[in-house]
Amino acid sequence: MADAYEKNKVNPPKVLVLGLLSIIMIGTALLRLPLATVSGQPLSWIDALFTATSAVCVTGLVVVDTATTFSTFGQVVILTLIQIGGIGFMTFATFFAFLLGKRISLKDRLVLQQALNQNSIEGIVRLVLHILIYTIVIELAAGLILAARFAYEMPLGRAIWFGMFHAISNFNNAGFDLMGNFTSFTRYTEDPIITLVLGILIFLGGIGFLVLSELADYRHERRLSLHTKVVLTTTTTLVLVGMVFILLIEWNNPKSLAPLSPFGKLLAAFFQSITPRSGGTMTLPVAEFQQATIFLIIVLMFIGASPGSAGGGIKVTTFATLIGAVWAQAKGREDVVFFRQRIAPALIYKSLTVTLSGLFFLIIVSIILSITERNVPFLSILFETTSAFATVGLSLGLTGELSPIGRVIIALTMFIGRVGPLTIAIALAQRQQKEY
């Protein structure tokens, strides 16, 4: 019996790592096809690998301009990789198995539990179906709104493609865009429709599918879990605090907020506070910000989005737990309490481990890039590294200037940031259980 169990035992982290690697390799091969580029000339292997990794890891860092380099076929490949990477390849596999009437095995449920960061496999298939429904409804609704806005300045067919591409990209917190010349949405800084729709997409994609599910069921259930309360409270607080600081620091900066109207300043500061959640889209040239603002964005990127979402970072729940632990110590209390519920010590240790692992990883990568990318300011390197690790996609202009080894390092950083350092460590570890 024990031998049979060992034979059939599944390692969910390993399945996730190998699954993502397989999709990246397929995406790399497709983007290498002459059909994928406007010029008909195949991309170099390293640029195709970098782009595929960025898309699957829903990051948005690019070494070639998406709009002018890739053909419609290439853009469709990128969008497909974003969608698969955003909601998870296991979610897609489960959906197709469900359509075909196949039974979802225990192994599949265990992998889904790991992928969606759930504590148990109970109700996991139902959550997957909800994820697909929410994704389709939100992306379609936002895509149509954006298409209607874009239709004022481009043909209807192109407007629909632009609307759907950017709706999918931003809901999955990917940051890829078709604006051209690495400008992102800087020409729409004071456009309330574009800014608010994209901001809401990034917010919804970053709070996690479990939170979306609970919000959708709130009308009937009339209750929210501790996880959802912490995510919504912490995320909203970070967005508002970030917005206020950006307004204060950048208000008179002639290269960012100064030329805008008061309403435009509020709109731009609001969006630039949301996008470090893991969005990657920008309506202001981030490279022109004051150093204090750039460092603030680095901190926000490192914190990241919510568990079980398309976003990266150490997660807002981890950050909230650490802040709660510090507050409890300052008050001389032994227990960390949120919304009248005690946080288990194991979660506090896990939060500390995740945070320190992330910091250690960022330090190592930043040191390596400081060696490989000579004459580059360290703040730019730290910003690029954090953006890749947190799968954000913002850059100070360094991405396209990276050396070949630098591109490989950043691609690896994106992958580790998406999967998680601890998950990869578990997946690679060969642990044997011994019976005494």
Side-chain angles (χ1 to χ4, degrees):
M1 181 70 70
D3 291 340
Y5 172 76
E6 288 297 326
K7 181 178 179 180
N8 293 307
K9 189 168 65 173
V10 65
N11 186 332
K14 184 176 292 186
V15 173
L16 293 176
V17 171
L18 294 179
L20 282 179
L21 281 174
S22 300
I23 295 171
I24 289 173
M25 292 301 103
I26 294 172
T28 300
L30 291 175
L31 293 177
R32 274 275 298 167
L33 296 174
L35 182 63
T37 61
V38 174
S39 65
Q41 298 296 318
L43 284 180
S44 66
W45 278 108
I46 191 168
D47 287 352
L49 174 64
F50 190 99
T51 304
T53 304
S54 185
V56 173
C57 297
V58 288
T59 305
L61 291 174
V62 292
V63 290
V64 294
D65 185 56
T66 308
T68 57
T69 302
F70 294 103
S71 63
T72 301
F73 172 79
Q75 293 171 7
V76 169
V77 170
I78 290 173
L79 196 62
T80 303
L81 295 176
I82 289 172
Q83 189 71 87
I84 294 174
I87 68 176
F89 72 92
M90 279 302 300
T91 301
F92 274 101
T94 303
F95 174 66
F96 285 116
F98 182 82
L99 289 180
L100 296 173
K102 293 185 177 181
R103 179 177 173 274
I104 310 301
S105 68
L106 176 60
K107 290 182 179 181
D108 294 333
R109 293 171 192 264
L110 289 172
V111 176
L112 282 169
Q113 177 190 355
Q114 178 76 23
L116 298 176
N117 198 37
Q118 299 300 296
N119 294 323
S120 72
I121 61 173
E122 183 180 357
I124 198 73
V125 177
R126 176 175 174 268
L127 177 59
V128 166
L129 296 179
H130 281 188
I131 288 173
L132 290 168
I133 293 172
Y134 301 148
T135 299
I136 293 172
V137 170
I138 292 172
E139 290 178 351
L140 184 59
L144 292 176
I145 295 173
L146 291 174
R149 170 62 186 84
F150 287 132
Y152 281 97
E153 56 189 63
M154 61 183 70
L156 182 59
R158 191 163 184 252
I160 293 174
W161 172 238
F162 266 51
M164 294 310 303
F165 186 98
H166 294 112
I168 294 172
S169 177
N170 283 275
F171 178 67
N172 289 283
N173 283 203
F176 280 83
D177 67 80
L178 301 178
M179 294 297 108
N181 300 318
F182 305 98
T183 59
S184 194
F185 285 84
T186 51
R187 65 175 178 267
Y188 296 101
T189 305
E190 297 191 76
D191 189 313
I193 296 177
I194 297 290
T195 300
L196 291 177
V197 170
L198 294 183
I200 291 172
L201 283 170
I202 294 171
F203 181 86
L204 293 178
I207 60 176
F209 294 111
L210 178 61
V211 176
L212 287 176
S213 181
E214 287 195 15
L215 291 177
D217 293 339
Y218 182 75
R219 183 176 59 179
H220 305 291
E221 301 292 336
R222 290 295 174 184
R223 62 178 295 276
L224 296 175
S225 67
L226 176 62
H227 170 83
T228 296
K229 291 177 181 178
V230 172
V231 167
L232 292 177
T233 302
T234 308
T235 301
T236 302
T237 301
L238 288 171
V239 170
L240 293 177
V241 170
M243 176 181 172
V244 170
F245 272 93
I246 290 173
L247 283 171
L248 291 174
I249 300 170
E250 298 293 327
W251 187 272
N252 293 318
N253 185 349
K255 296 181 179 180
S256 60
L257 293 184
L260 306 179
S261 65
F263 175 74
K265 291 179 179 179
L266 289 173
L267 202 61
F270 166 74
F271 189 83
Q272 292 307 138
S273 182
I274 283 183
T275 196
R277 300 264 64 72
S278 198
T281 304
M282 61 180 182
T283 59
L284 288 172
V286 179
E288 303 296 343
F289 283 166
Q290 304 285 358
Q291 288 195 3
T293 306
I294 292 175
F295 188 75
L296 171 66
I297 293 176
I298 290 175
V299 174
L300 293 176
M301 290 193 298
F302 183 71
I303 295 171
S306 168
S309 72
I314 62 170
K315 310 302 183 186
V316 293
T317 49
T318 299
F319 175 73
T321 300
L322 292 179
I323 294 298
V326 172
W327 181 256
Q329 285 293 309
K331 290 289 186 178
R333 301 171 182 168
E334 293 186 0
D335 295 331
V336 177
V337 179
F338 288 139
F339 299 100
R340 299 181 180 179
Q341 294 188 50
R342 178 177 174 271
I343 304 299
L347 290 178
I348 299 175
Y349 290 129
K350 180 180 178 181
S351 297
L352 185 60
T353 302
V354 169
T355 303
L356 290 179
S357 297
L359 282 173
F360 181 75
F361 182 74
L362 286 181
I363 291 171
I364 295 298
V365 174
S366 296
I367 291 174
I368 295 174
L369 285 178
S370 296
I371 297 172
T372 63
E373 313 305 308
R374 299 183 181 277
N375 301 320
V376 176
F378 182 76
L379 189 62
S380 296
I381 290 176
L382 180 61
F383 191 97
E384 191 85 9
T385 304
T386 308
S387 180
F389 172 74
T391 68
V392 176
L394 294 175
S395 177
L396 300 182
L398 177 58
T399 312
E401 305 299 323
L402 288 169
S403 64
I405 185 63
R407 296 183 184 194
V408 171
I409 292 171
I410 289 296
L412 183 61
T413 302
M414 289 189 288
F415 181 78
I416 292 177
R418 180 58 177 148
V419 178
L422 293 180
T423 300
I424 289 183
I426 295 172
L428 296 178
Q430 299 296 322
R431 297 180 301 178
Q432 296 181 343
Q433 295 181 344
K434 297 181 180 180
E435 294 186 63
Y436 295 93

